[in-house]
């Protein structure tokens, strides 16, 4: 209960931080994008992870404000990297259903881009299948508006939801992030290998870019590369880390 009280104050007290996890081109290791992940630096309990407070924020009706803070901060970070003339990246931001379901979300998106001099193509919005399910009949209009800004949408944790696949036809949806539960047993687990290959084939035939999540080993990397997956994310390449560590990775070494 007291955590809920603290959560109401956390934004005003500037206790949220962002870390960034690179998303690499498997063939070259080049960083294509980073995913912004929120952390709560709690004054007594220390660093808290999304699983510790995002569900609570959703229940308390606080998630929209947190997501919009993350969006603004992530775009501001991208501008700082641009000002340092680092290689151009895409920024991926996670949003919950109630955030994206609000009409004004697309306005917030446009403002965040405008305020930081970014084109829509620099930004990617990650939503889960269950969030799409909750959008319901609003899905098409919302996706169209996001697409109108040039912003791409990635389906997060793909393969773990219970929604229909019909939404994959929407033109805003550009990426499928294959959930790490399928990657975990590769290459030995025959079922997960078959499921992963099927998801890659589906992505290919729909013109969606697959991104494998949770890659932890060379063997998983090799399997995915052979299976035709072009991008991935996971501890094998890099953990989520503060902005300045990302800068170190982006600077060409001398
Ligand atoms: O940071 P971590 O790797 O533990 O992230 C766990 C999950 O928390 C992610 O899969 C993501 O969906 C969610 N998450 C992380 N940051 C945010 C955020 O800013 N907003 C929302 N809504 N979810 C987030
Ligand atoms: O948005 P999403 O829920 O997919 O966020 C990614 C989550 O997965 C974050 O909590 C991140 O810390 C975690 N993560 C990223 N890479 C790996 C990995 O290689 N292995 C595992 N187990 N978790 C990972
Ligand atoms: Mn994500
Ligand atoms: Na995910």
């Amino acid at each position: 209960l007291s955590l809920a009280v603290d959560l109401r104050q956390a934004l005003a007290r500037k206790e949220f931080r962002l870390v960034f996890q690179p998303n690499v081109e498997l063939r070259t290791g080049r960083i294509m994008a980073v995913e912004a992940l929120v952390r709560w630096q709690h004054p007594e309990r220390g660093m808290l992870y999304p699983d510790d407070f995002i569900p609570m924020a959703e229940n308390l009706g606080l998630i929209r404000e947190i997501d919009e803070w993350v969006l603004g901060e992530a775009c501001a970070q991208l501008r700082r990297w641009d000002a340092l003339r680092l290689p151009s990246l895409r920024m991926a931001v996670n949003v919950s259903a109630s955030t994206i379901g609000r009409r004004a979300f697309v306005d917030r998106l446009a403002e965040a881009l405008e305020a930081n001099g970014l084109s829509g193509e620099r930004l990617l919005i990650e939503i889960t299948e269950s969030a799409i399910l909750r959008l319901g009949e609003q899905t098409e209009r919302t996706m169209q508006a996001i697409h109108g800004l040039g912003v791409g949408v990635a389906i997060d944790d793909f393969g773990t939801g219970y929604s229909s696949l019909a939404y994959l036809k929407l033109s805003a949806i550009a990426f499928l992030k294959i959930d790490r539960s399928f990657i975990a047993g590769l290459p030995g687990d025959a079922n997960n290998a078959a499921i992963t290959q099927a998801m890659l084939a589906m992505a290919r035939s729909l013109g969606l870019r697959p991104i494998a999540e949770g890659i932890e080993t060379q063997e998983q990397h090799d399997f995915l590369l052979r299976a035709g997956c072009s991008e991935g994310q996971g501890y094998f390449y890099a953990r989520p880390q503060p902005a300045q560590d990302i800068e170190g990775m982006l600077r060409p070494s001398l």
Side-chain angles (χ1 to χ4, degrees):
L1 188 75
S2 80
L3 200 61
V5 174
D6 295 344
L7 191 53
R8 291 186 190 285
Q9 323 266 357
L11 262 181
R13 292 182 175 167
K14 303 188 190 302
E15 292 170 352
F16 293 115
R17 308 275 180 273
L18 290 185
V19 290
F20 304 89
Q21 187 177 36
N23 172 327
V24 306
E25 183 177 50
L26 298 190
R27 199 175 51 79
T28 60
R30 186 162 79 95
I31 299 178
M32 308 294 286
V34 295
E35 178 178 2
L37 295 160
V38 69
R39 301 288 182 257
W40 180 10
Q41 188 61 52
H42 190 282
E44 285 110 38
R45 300 184 197 219
M47 179 86 94
L48 299 180
Y49 288 77
D51 292 348
D52 303 325
F53 64 90
I54 295 284
M56 184 185 286
E58 287 172 342
N59 291 331
L60 294 172
L62 299 170
I63 191 64
R64 179 182 60 77
E65 277 185 90
I66 295 172
D67 282 349
E68 289 179 0
W69 176 84
V70 169
L71 175 67
E73 194 57 30
C75 288
Q77 184 58 59
L78 210 46
R79 171 165 68 173
R80 290 193 282 273
W81 285 333
D82 285 350
L84 294 172
R85 302 187 180 282
L86 294 172
S88 177
L89 293 177
R90 265 190 340 255
M91 176 69 73
V93 170
N94 294 282
V95 296
S96 292
S98 60
T99 305
I100 197 172
R102 201 165 148 270
R103 232 170 221 286
F105 176 71
V106 179
D107 299 332
R108 296 290 92 78
L109 212 49
E111 286 164 15
L113 292 170
E114 164 89 37
N116 294 290
L118 301 171
S119 66
E121 289 72 22
R122 303 290 302 283
L123 194 61
L124 205 63
I125 297 297
E126 296 197 4
I127 52 173
T128 61
E129 291 165 88
S130 54
I132 289 191
L133 195 64
R134 281 189 50 195
L135 277 179
E137 58 191 18
Q138 211 190 311
T139 305
E140 208 149 329
R141 174 164 44 81
T142 303
M143 292 299 149
Q144 206 52 50
I146 293 173
H147 191 54
L149 293 174
V151 173
V153 174
I155 305 302
D156 206 358
D157 307 337
F158 185 68
T160 63
Y162 295 95
S163 63
S164 114
L165 294 175
Y167 64 83
L168 293 179
K169 298 179 295 193
L170 296 169
S171 43
I173 295 175
F175 294 85
L176 285 189
K177 297 192 79 171
I178 299 175
D179 189 69
R180 67 170 179 261
S181 59
F182 301 109
I183 307 302
L186 300 182
D189 183 319
N191 288 325
N192 281 341
I195 292 169
T196 299
Q197 283 164 330
M199 290 196 284
L200 291 170
M202 187 178 67
R204 220 168 7 252
S205 54
L206 288 169
L208 303 172
R209 284 166 67 177
I211 302 175
E213 293 192 287
I215 301 172
E216 295 182 349
T217 69
Q218 180 77 53
E219 291 70 29
Q220 291 166 347
H221 167 94
D222 294 345
F223 176 92
L224 288 160
L225 197 56
R226 273 199 309 274
C229 183
S230 49
E231 289 173 65
Q233 192 173 325
Y235 298 161
F236 179 61
Y237 312 103
R239 296 195 164 247
Q241 50 201 296
Q244 67 192 59
D245 296 353
I246 297 290
E247 278 160 37
M249 297 183 73
L250 290 173
R251 277 209 178 83
S253 46
L254 297 174

